[in-house]
Amino acid sequence: MIRLVNDLLDVSRIDSGRMNMKIEEISLCEVVEGIIKELGSFALANNVQIKFSPKSRVCVIKTDPVRIKMVIQNFIDNAIKYTGNKQGFVE
């Protein structure tokens, strides 16, 4: 419930042009790997395997770590959900 309220507040901030971003250098590979671990039991419950194989282990970007994590988490979560309850694969 708290996450939903925070998401709604973020939408309001974006609409009003008051969205604050904290830009940092982060390893995108580490962020993705962490999200995959977090969503592992959800994927398993939906008979979905997740494979992440970056072309390079050096995936450093400058971004807001909280916002990019939300975006990637949403992509992977949706990929798992919409693969269905059959044997699936997300890469």
Side-chain angles (χ1 to χ4, degrees):
M1 187 64 133
I2 291 171
R3 184 175 170 198
L4 178 61
V5 170
N6 286 334
D7 288 348
L8 291 173
L9 289 171
D10 284 346
V11 169
S12 174
R13 287 183 194 110
I14 291 168
D15 284 346
S16 66
R18 296 180 296 120
M19 182 62 136
N20 293 327
M21 305 273 281
K22 183 179 175 189
I23 305 300
E24 299 175 15
E25 269 193 11
I26 63 162
S27 168
L28 189 58
C29 292
E30 289 177 14
V31 171
V32 172
E33 288 167 349
I35 292 168
I36 290 170
K37 284 181 184 175
E38 288 175 18
L39 295 175
S41 60
F42 178 60
L44 185 62
N46 285 281
N47 297 318
V48 174
Q49 290 181 338
I50 302 174
K51 180 180 178 188
F52 176 59
S53 49
K55 299 207 183 300
S56 170
R57 294 301 308 161
V58 181
C59 324
V60 177
I61 61 171
K62 288 184 178 182
T63 187
D64 184 315
V66 173
R67 306 290 180 233
I68 197 69
K69 182 178 179 183
M70 288 171 54
V71 170
I72 295 169
Q73 192 169 32
N74 193 30
F75 282 149
I76 295 172
D77 184 72
N78 283 342
I80 294 167
K81 276 185 207 170
Y82 296 109
T83 299
N85 280 333
K86 55 187 179 279
Q87 187 68 26
F89 189 76
V90 173
E91 183 172 9

